[in-house]
Every structure is written in C-alpha cells, then in structure tokens.
Amino acid sequence: MKVAVDAMGGDYAPEEVVLGAVEAAREYKCEIILVGDQDKIMHSLNEFENWQELGISVHHASQVIEMHEHPGAAVRKKKDASVVVATRLVKEGNCDVVISAGSTGAASAAALFGLGRIKGIERPAIATPIPNLTGTTVLLDSGANVDGKPKHLLQSAVMGSIYAEYILGMPNPRVGLLNIGEEETKGNEQVLSTYPLLKQSHTINFIGNVEGRDISKGTVDVVVCDGFVGNIVLKFGEGLASAIMQLVKDAIKSSGFLTKVASLMILPALRRLKKKLDYAEYGGAPLLGVDGGCIICHGSSKAKAIKNAIRVAKEFTETRVVDHIRENIAKEGIITNGNE
Amino acid sequence: MKVAVDAMGGDYAPEEVVLGAVEAAREYKCEIILVGDQDKIMHSLNEFENWQELGISVHHASQVIEMHEHPGAAVRKKKDASVVVATRLVKEGNCDVVISAGSTGAASAAALFGLGRIKGIERPAIATPIPNLTGTTVLLDSGANVDGKPKHLLQSAVMGSIYAEYILGMPNPRVGLLNIGEEETKGNEQVLSTYPLLKQSHTINFIGNVEGRDISKGTVDVVVCDGFVGNIVLKFGEGLASAIMQLVKDAIKSSGFLTKVASLMILPALRRLKKKLDYAEYGGAPLLGVDGGCIICHGSSKAKAIKNAIRVAKEFTETRVVDHIRENIAKEGIITNGNE
C-alpha cells in the first residue's frame, strides 16, 4: 500500500504531517510519499534518524493552495500545488490513496478533477465518523455538496453503508435519513422525495427517518443528509463537545477546597473521555464516490490525526471500498432506472 | 398578566403542569387559567391547600390533541381541544399568552389559525434559547417551517433580534446566518439569497455568516436558519449534551478506588453544569410572528419548565414583544419592497 500525503496541507504543516507520516510508517508498514516543498519537508524529516529505512520518500511540489482560495479555480490554476500533485500520483497509479489536511474544497476538487467519479455517482460525499454513546456513527454528506437531489442522497446512503461495513466493521449497518420527525410524511421537499428511494434500495438496511437526537445514541450506524445540514451538524457537535468539556473542567475547578485532589483523581478518566470525543482518533474522512482513494483530514490535524488517517487509507485500500461502491451503485442503478 | 395554560399537553400532564402553574402563581403573581379536563385538573389542584387564593382558575375543555395526530387537521376537527380552547382565550382577549407542552405542531397550528399572523409576517418561527459558554444563544427557526424562502429567514432574523433584546436583555444583539462557511459566497441557494437581505436590513445587527461551531462559543446572540436545519441542530445538541454528561459520569465512576470521594466532591458542580445545559431552565420557546403570545414547551416538561415558561410569558407580555415585531417588520417591509 502506497499513500501520497499532502505535506503542505493543514494548520501544522509540514512538521506535524511529517511526524504523523513517520509514526504511521513505523506502525503500519506502508510506503508513504510526502508531497510538497522539498526543502521544508526534508528539514522536518531530518529530525528522524532512520527515516530513509521506513519506506518514506519525498516528491517535490512547488505550490500550495491556501485556505482562502476558491477551490476549483485554485486546483485548475496551480498545477504544481501539493494536493494536486499528490492526487495525480494516485491517478497515475503510483499511489493508492491521497491524504490532505489542507482546504477541504481544494482536496475535493483535486480528487474530482484528477480521479473522476465512480460510474453512476453524480456527487461524491464526505463521510465523517462521529462518536456516539456506544461506538461510532457515520455522517454523510458532511460538506462536499449542498442542494443535493434525492438521488444524490441515495448514492450517499449506499456509499456510507459500504464505508461503515468495510472500514468500521459493522455488518449490515443501519442507515437512517436525518429528518425532523420519524414519520414518513415529515420533512422538507428534499428528504420527502429521498425517503421512497432509500426504502426501495436493495443494497442498504434502511431503518427510516432519524432525528438529531439519534445521532449520539448509537441506534443508527449511517446518517444520511445533505452536505449543508451535515456540515453544520458536524461543526456544531465539535463546538458543543468542546464547550461542555470546558464547562466540566470549570465545574470541577470551582467545586471547593478539595478540588485539587478530586481533579487529580478524575483527570485520567476525563482524558480518556476526551480521547473518545476527539476527531483525531478517527483519522480523517474519506471523499466517497471518486474513482480512487482520497482521505480528507481536519485542518487542525496534528501528527496523531495524520497517522490515523494513514491507517484509514490502508483499510480503505485493502478492503477495496471503491470496488464495492462501484458494484452496489450499479445495483441501485437497476432499481432507480426501472429494471432496465 | 393572565396566562392560559394547556393543562393536558406534555408527557407529565396534568400533574406537573398544575404543579408548575401553582409555583409560578406563587412566585410571579400572575393570573393563570388551567385549560383541560376539569376533573383531572381539580384532582391535581386539590393537592394544594390554598390554590384558590393564588389567582388560579380552571376552564374546562373536553378534548385533547394527541402527539400522533396531524396538527392542522386535529386543530380544525377538535374545537374543544385544550390547546385550541386555551388559544381562543388569548384570541378573545381573556388572556395574554397561551402555553402548551403538547404537540408543537398542534400548538403552532392553533396559534396560526386562532391568533393569525402579525401583518407582514408570512411564516411564524419558533425561537429556542440554547446555552453557550458565556450565556445564551437564540436559535430560530427551530422547527415551525421547512423550505422557507429568504424573506422568511429575514423575518426570523428581525423577530429573533427583538426576542433576544427584550426577553434575554441583550442590547443590540449580534445576528448571524447559519452557514457552512463565513464567506458571503458559501452555502446553499437558500442562504446565498438570504445573506443580502440580512445585510440590507436596518433593524438588525447582522454580523454575517456563522458556522455550527459558533453556536456554543457565545460570539453570536441570534442564529438564523431554516426550521429543518434548526430542528436537527437543536435535537442533536440535546442528545449530544446528554450523551457527554453520561460519559462524564461513567468516566468518574470508573476512575478508580477513590472514586466515591471524588464523585461526592464534584457532584454539586456537575449538577450546576447540568442545570446550565437544561432546557427546562429556559422555560419554553415562543412562536414568534403570530398576533399574540404563544409559548411552546418541550414535551417532557416537568413543573420547573412550566413555571419558567410562565415567567417567559410574563416577560413576553410586559415587554410588548408582539408590538416591537409589528413595528420592525413594517420597517423591513420598506426595505424589501423598494422604498414604496
């Protein structure tokens, strides 16, 4: 397995990206190509004595796409941008997956232009694993597309189900449509028209509409929604979880003169909880539906998140997620086009 | 101030509704009319020795709208349903505000049919106060309408701003449009078209687009969105907060042999935090835009939530929220119709 890592993407690039890659190379025994400014990458790499023996190499790219740039325009204009070059390595068969913690829009655009879409997929979707009370829920689309049509949500459902089954190891994952009520008659036009498509699907285990409060309960494995809703939900959850953890800390600190003892006793437990809620543990979100591997990381990814993204990339490749999507989307095509 | 309370609405009606009303009558010195099954209400009321001296009275209504019923159809059909009769008391000038913890749809429909809309308002919106790191954020619409047009979101913004100013005491509240990015060019068709309307408004302090993570930060006072998005965000937040608090408790319990001592020390602090996150403290969400007072409570409201809703009803009436909405919507009308 060979991974192309955009070494210039993210708030802590290239240092943390390089560190994550070194740790992943040690642990997962995979080949890693770090793409970006050769001098800067080498500067970070040379901190590690034996990096040459780990299967890591460097591929120079002279440009970087910044966060504020228009993704599509930047990808077209900057042919030598790190994320564009890394994606090209996958396109040309030199790597299996590309990973980037840079602009999500740019990584998506590079994958869309560079790798193309799987036959039958009109809109790729970002699938984000989020923690729930008992394990993980996959939310998609978490921001690749807005104003999607019902068939795009069906495609997301099929892809999310495969992701949950093969990457998260959930047999026959329960797929729910995110809505404002459980009844089939509830919702906006988009979900009202999506419901019958999901109900007719032969490749997913559709359990009906789910509400916002179901996401954290662990009663649904794959939550399907439009990218506008998904992105807002995801960022709200991130902000709320961090706010509550802050309030818990404040509450403990203000709980009286025995506080210090109490804090010391429960801090390890809180740290474990924080780890459970930490996106970095989940290692990036795949852009599903493009014809190749593309894992998108949070902009504030540090080494741990990059390392975990490389683990996800490995699983993504080894379990042949792209092939499974191709097969199941073909089956859905038969259904939605009326058995032709 | 006179409040009509739907005594049959909610999971714990009528007992907890009656208890909340008794407590509110004692504390807020307002007149309360409990509407619903007279025998059942009297049975609960007679638990309190001196209730007759508190300004509480009972108004019989023979029917109840159940949660599973279609709101509009049920309100039209059941003319003697508790929520319909309570709303009629406001319409006829016998009460200032109606409060219900029953079906949100039924309470909204009863208000819409019974009270009508304020001139210039096409779609009333539910404004829900949610806790943030430093205080409260108002989210609206949290579920009254889906597929709203940009002008409906503008109306929500104007109404939410008034609610934040007069009920939550925020001078010149910061109004943000909930979106997937801060840039004016981001978002779906609905918010892209709403942005210029909010920017042009003379009656609100529009600070631009806000993202999901801003809701809990306390950097925005009024968050405007479509009812589909708002309802999902609200229920997700409720579920996530409850899940995290559960995980915090579990973490403390599993933190070793000194746990019990630690728990005892920090439990009071956690209880204070839980109170901060508890919707019941906020006392219901007003349906803004109808021509009269209508406060909608959570279905699982207990006495405390009902009592706080009555407090909100009092503030709603005393600060003349409906009049302020009427005035500001008239001003916005001039802007949106091109200075005619």
Side-chain angles (χ1 to χ4, degrees):
Chain A
M1 212 271 301
K2 218 165 166 179
V3 190
V5 177
D6 169 13
M8 312 309 285
D11 303 344
Y12 303 103
E15 296 81 4
E16 290 283 329
V17 179
V18 170
L19 176 56
V22 168
E23 288 177 356
R26 280 180 186 148
E27 191 159 333
Y28 307 129
K29 315 284 176 220
C30 53
E31 277 184 73
I32 296 170
I33 302 183
L34 292 165
V35 183
D37 185 307
Q38 190 157 11
D39 291 345
K40 287 183 181 163
I41 296 173
M42 289 303 289
H43 183 82
S44 292
L45 262 181
N46 285 329
E47 304 267 316
F48 307 95
E49 276 186 14
N50 62 340
W51 68 264
Q52 289 92 341
E53 297 156 26
L54 293 170
I56 295 179
S57 58
V58 179
H59 188 112
H60 182 66
S62 62
Q63 295 172 302
V64 173
I65 296 179
E66 307 288 346
M67 294 303 283
H68 65 267
E69 293 186 77
H70 183 280
V75 165
R76 282 201 181 83
K77 200 177 129 202
K78 293 185 166 175
K79 305 265 185 239
D80 205 37
S82 55
V83 68
V84 174
V85 174
T87 307
R88 203 182 298 140
L89 290 175
V90 177
K91 172 68 183 169
E92 292 169 352
N94 294 310
C95 288
D96 299 294
V97 192
V98 51
I99 291 175
S100 178
S103 151
T104 296
S108 304
L112 204 55
F113 301 158
L115 307 178
R117 289 163 292 158
I118 294 171
K119 197 184 164 189
I121 296 288
E122 294 181 13
R123 302 264 195 109
I126 298 173
T128 306
I130 50 179
N132 64 40
L133 265 180
T134 58
T136 308
T137 310
V138 179
L139 182 82
L140 84 169
D141 171 29
S142 60
N145 294 291
V146 299
D147 290 321
K149 292 186 181 142
K151 61 180 168 182
H152 302 140
L153 272 75
L154 167 63
Q155 292 167 3
S156 288
V158 173
M159 297 192 293
S161 182
I162 287 169
Y163 174 74
E165 185 171 348
Y166 291 95
I167 305 286
L168 302 175
M170 298 170 173
N172 202 26
R174 296 158 296 179
V175 178
L177 178 62
L178 191 57
N179 203 337
I180 58 173
E182 287 181 5
E183 303 84 353
E184 196 170 336
T185 53
K186 282 273 176 86
N188 61 12
E189 281 181 28
Q190 187 187 48
V191 298
L192 284 170
S193 309
T194 301
Y195 192 100
L197 296 186
L198 298 187
K199 206 173 166 184
Q200 284 162 31
S201 164
H202 290 170
T203 73
I204 61 166
N205 172 18
F206 181 53
I207 60 165
N209 288 328
V210 295
E211 295 186 73
R213 65 170 71 92
D214 296 313
I215 298 174
S216 303
K217 265 189 196 161
T219 48
V220 56
D221 302 310
V222 179
V223 172
V224 177
C225 61
D226 181 75
F228 185 79
V229 176
N231 185 274
I232 287 171
V233 162
L234 197 69
K235 289 179 182 161
F236 172 55
E238 224 181 272
L240 180 61
S242 134
I244 294 179
M245 291 306 286
Q246 183 59 49
L247 291 170
V248 168
K249 267 196 213 159
D250 293 351
I252 292 171
K253 274 190 191 156
S254 68
S255 61
F257 83 108
L258 281 169
T259 301
K260 214 151 189 175
V261 187
S263 301
L264 283 174
M265 281 189 281
I266 66 156
L267 270 183
L270 278 185
R271 263 198 293 269
R272 279 196 299 278
L273 171 57
K274 206 164 167 241
K275 187 171 164 168
K276 195 180 162 106
L277 296 174
D278 183 7
Y279 68 87
E281 295 296 326
Y282 295 86
L287 180 69
L288 299 173
V290 291
D291 200 357
C294 171
I295 312 286
I296 293 169
C297 299
H298 202 288
S300 59
S301 289
K302 293 203 172 184
K304 186 171 64 174
I306 300 294
K307 179 188 145 190
N308 281 321
I310 294 174
R311 174 182 52 73
V312 170
K314 194 174 183 228
E315 292 161 357
F316 188 93
T317 307
E318 289 175 354
T319 59
R320 300 188 303 111
V321 167
V322 170
D323 293 337
H324 293 297
I325 292 177
R326 201 188 321 273
E327 284 159 26
N328 281 8
I329 285 295
K331 288 182 199 160
E332 292 295 341
I334 296 169
I335 299 161
T336 54
N337 300 331
N339 293 313
E340 61 192 28
Chain B
M1 212 273 300
K2 217 167 168 178
V3 189
V5 176
D6 169 13
M8 312 310 284
D11 304 342
Y12 304 104
E15 295 81 3
E16 291 284 327
V17 179
V18 170
L19 176 56
V22 169
E23 288 178 356
R26 281 180 185 146
E27 190 159 335
Y28 307 127
K29 315 284 176 219
C30 54
E31 277 185 73
I32 296 170
I33 302 183
L34 292 165
V35 183
D37 185 307
Q38 190 156 10
D39 291 345
K40 287 183 181 163
I41 297 172
M42 290 303 290
H43 183 81
S44 292
L45 261 180
N46 285 329
E47 304 268 315
F48 308 93
E49 275 185 15
N50 62 339
W51 70 265
Q52 289 92 340
E53 296 157 28
L54 293 171
I56 295 179
S57 58
V58 179
H59 187 110
H60 182 67
S62 63
Q63 295 172 302
V64 174
I65 296 181
E66 308 288 347
M67 292 303 282
H68 65 265
E69 293 187 78
H70 183 281
V75 165
R76 281 199 182 85
K77 200 177 131 201
K78 293 184 166 175
K79 306 263 185 243
D80 205 37
S82 55
V83 68
V84 175
V85 175
T87 307
R88 202 181 299 139
L89 291 175
V90 178
K91 171 69 182 169
E92 292 169 353
N94 295 311
C95 288
D96 299 293
V97 192
V98 51
I99 291 174
S100 178
S103 151
T104 297
S108 304
L112 203 56
F113 300 158
L115 307 177
R117 288 163 293 159
I118 294 171
K119 197 185 164 189
I121 295 289
E122 293 181 14
R123 301 264 196 109
I126 299 173
T128 306
I130 50 178
N132 64 39
L133 265 180
T134 59
T136 307
T137 310
V138 179
L139 182 81
L140 81 168
D141 171 32
S142 60
N145 293 292
V146 298
D147 291 321
K149 291 186 182 144
K151 61 181 170 183
H152 302 139
L153 271 75
L154 167 63
Q155 292 168 4
S156 287
V158 172
M159 297 192 293
S161 182
I162 287 169
Y163 174 74
E165 184 171 348
Y166 291 96
I167 304 286
L168 302 175
M170 298 171 175
N172 201 26
R174 296 159 294 180
V175 178
L177 178 61
L178 190 56
N179 204 336
I180 59 172
E182 288 181 5
E183 304 84 350
E184 196 170 337
T185 53
K186 282 271 177 92
N188 61 11
E189 281 182 27
Q190 186 187 48
V191 298
L192 283 170
S193 309
T194 301
Y195 192 100
L197 296 186
L198 298 188
K199 207 173 165 183
Q200 284 162 32
S201 163
H202 290 172
T203 73
I204 62 166
N205 172 19
F206 181 51
I207 60 165
N209 288 328
V210 295
E211 296 186 72
R213 64 171 71 93
D214 296 314
I215 298 174
S216 303
K217 265 190 197 161
T219 48
V220 55
D221 302 312
V222 179
V223 172
V224 177
C225 61
D226 179 77
F228 185 80
V229 176
N231 185 274
I232 287 172
V233 162
L234 197 69
K235 288 180 183 161
F236 173 55
E238 224 180 272
L240 181 62
S242 134
I244 294 178
M245 292 305 285
Q246 183 58 50
L247 291 170
V248 168
K249 266 195 212 160
D250 294 350
I252 292 171
K253 275 190 193 158
S254 68
S255 63
F257 84 107
L258 281 169
T259 302
K260 214 151 187 175
V261 187
S263 301
L264 283 173
M265 282 188 280
I266 68 158
L267 271 183
L270 279 185
R271 263 197 293 268
R272 281 196 299 276
L273 172 58
K274 205 166 170 240
K275 186 171 165 169
K276 194 179 163 105
L277 296 174
D278 184 7
Y279 68 87
E281 295 296 326
Y282 295 84
L287 180 69
L288 299 174
V290 291
D291 201 358
C294 170
I295 312 285
I296 293 169
C297 299
H298 202 289
S300 57
S301 289
K302 293 202 173 186
K304 184 173 64 171
I306 299 293
K307 180 189 146 190
N308 280 321
I310 294 173
R311 173 183 52 74
V312 169
K314 193 172 184 227
E315 292 161 358
F316 188 94
T317 307
E318 289 174 356
T319 59
R320 300 187 304 111
V321 166
V322 169
D323 292 338
H324 293 296
I325 291 177
R326 202 188 321 274
E327 285 158 25
N328 281 8
I329 283 295
K331 287 182 199 159
E332 292 294 342
I334 296 170
I335 298 162
T336 54
N337 301 330
N339 293 313
E340 60 191 31

